[in-house]
Amino acid sequence: MKHRIYLGLIALIALAGCKKLSVDAPEFDVSIEKTTYKVGEEVNFRFSGNPDLISVYRGIAGENYDFRNRITAEGLPQLNFTTLVQNTGETNTLRLMASTNFTGKYDVAGIAAASWTDITSRATLSTGTDNTASGTIDLSDFKGTGKPLYLAFKYQGYFHPTLKQPSWFLRTFNVNNVLPEGRTSVITAIGQVGWVGVDVKNPTVVWGVPATGQATINGTGADAVNEDNEDWIISRPFNLSSVSTDTGLGLKTATTYLANYTYAYSVPGTYTVTFIATNASRDEDSQVIKQIKLTVEP
């Protein structure tokens, strides 16, 4: 008899464990005292109800609810990087190159088959100072093709009886999409460039690319042979219109209670503030969305 009761209890527990845990729609609302505020004046958003989770898109750059699924946007693509040159001797050994028809074939034939634009004149390169900033380089002229852009550094030295082939260090490298709403979205940073080195001439001098992406090439290293030299590092393809999605700010978890939220806008304009209230279980969730439009004056 006891054995049957025990088995029955196990069956009940198993049945309860398999039962889907449903949730009710949150009871939630938001109110404010007025719809027009001054810059720097706190807006007090008062909440009713107690949902498990509350998050907010404040309508500022990077927190626009309408852009929560946006992955491309027309902005201003810009490049900036920093360099160091050492063992200076020969000059003009480093060139910044760009291509929209490189096929991703990272070898000598692939480089030769592509059309490359030399954009070195747009940048400032080191003359001996570490972390020399390139300045902001506009890449807008490469968007018109609708094709991804590859960026590369071409190192070229020549045999010379007295002049040394220098060493170059790439410290940082960033491609950004500067959006009309004022937000800068990162397309790539130094560790995500995907550099691939291609030796064209003189295998004793090649680019080194560690996991950090901070590429180096040493024209006067211990193993370097003083001959004509050409080596490239080429990036992965970049979509110059890519953008990270806008995200909201988490305000409340299931273990807390929140009666209100205050925020002061620093820029005048019209804002749509979106609150998302969520009740959630391990199996499902239910949301209520509340939006408030307000004006911020100078």
Side-chain angles (χ1 to χ4, degrees):
M1 182 67 177
K2 290 182 179 180
H3 180 67
R4 292 180 181 176
I5 294 173
Y6 178 69
L7 291 177
L9 286 173
I10 293 176
L12 287 173
I13 293 170
L15 182 62
C18 295
K19 185 177 180 181
K20 184 177 181 181
L21 297 179
S22 61
V23 296
D24 296 326
E27 293 184 4
F28 178 73
D29 207 351
V30 186
S31 62
I32 54 177
E33 295 177 353
K34 53 186 179 179
T35 57
T36 301
Y37 294 81
K38 296 289 186 180
V39 166
E41 181 182 2
E42 281 194 343
V43 185
N44 184 21
F45 301 95
R46 297 188 302 271
F47 303 146
S48 63
N50 186 30
D52 293 339
L53 308 170
I54 301 176
S55 60
V56 61
Y57 288 78
R58 293 173 291 190
I60 60 178
E63 289 186 31
N64 189 325
Y65 179 75
D66 290 340
F67 295 158
R68 67 194 183 282
N69 297 317
R70 181 182 66 168
I71 58 174
T72 60
E74 291 306 312
L76 181 63
Q78 295 178 340
L79 164 67
N80 62 77
F81 58 90
T82 56
T83 54
L84 166 66
V85 65
Q86 288 183 331
N87 305 319
T88 52
E90 292 184 5
T91 59
N92 299 319
T93 52
L94 190 68
R95 314 301 296 175
L96 175 61
M97 313 296 288
S99 176
T100 57
N101 68 353
F102 180 64
T103 62
K105 187 180 179 182
Y106 293 88
D107 58 22
V108 176
I111 292 174
S115 300
W116 295 92
T117 302
D118 188 332
I119 58 174
T120 313
S121 61
R122 305 184 190 186
T124 299
L125 299 178
S126 174
T127 57
T129 301
D130 200 358
N131 288 306
T132 296
S134 64
T136 300
I137 300 165
D138 186 357
L139 300 175
S140 298
D141 49 323
F142 296 104
K143 288 180 64 176
T145 63
K147 298 178 180 178
L149 176 69
Y150 291 84
L151 293 169
F153 285 100
K154 174 185 177 182
Y155 178 93
Q156 193 158 25
Y158 300 94
F159 167 79
H160 196 282
T162 58
L163 290 179
K164 296 180 292 184
Q165 296 182 27
S167 302
W168 282 96
F169 302 81
L170 180 64
R171 302 298 199 193
T172 63
F173 190 92
N174 300 279
V175 180
N176 299 316
N177 190 2
V178 181
L179 303 173
E181 64 263 31
R183 180 165 76 95
T184 296
S185 182
V186 177
I187 296 174
T188 194
I190 186 67
Q192 299 90 43
V193 182
W195 295 122
V196 176
V198 179
D199 175 60
V200 177
K201 188 182 295 185
N202 189 358
T204 67
V205 179
V206 296
W207 284 98
V209 185
T212 62
Q214 296 173 314
T216 62
I217 189 166
N218 187 354
T220 55
D223 298 325
V225 176
N226 185 10
E227 296 177 354
D228 291 354
N229 184 61
E230 183 179 341
D231 282 274
W232 294 59
I233 47 170
I234 308 172
S235 73
R236 64 177 173 85
F238 301 127
N239 178 355
L240 297 182
S241 295
S242 68
V243 61
S244 56
T245 57
D246 282 34
T247 57
L249 175 68
L251 300 179
K252 178 193 180 302
T253 65
T255 59
T256 60
Y257 175 77
L258 189 65
N260 71 302
Y261 169 70
T262 60
Y263 182 73
Y265 288 83
S266 60
V267 178
T270 301
Y271 296 88
T272 298
V273 189
T274 304
F275 290 90
I276 304 174
T278 306
N279 282 344
S281 73
R282 71 183 183 195
D283 298 315
E284 64 180 24
D285 60 71
S286 179
Q287 290 186 340
V288 169
I289 298 173
K290 299 291 183 179
Q291 291 188 316
I292 292 179
K293 292 185 178 180
L294 55 87
T295 300
V296 177
E297 296 179 340

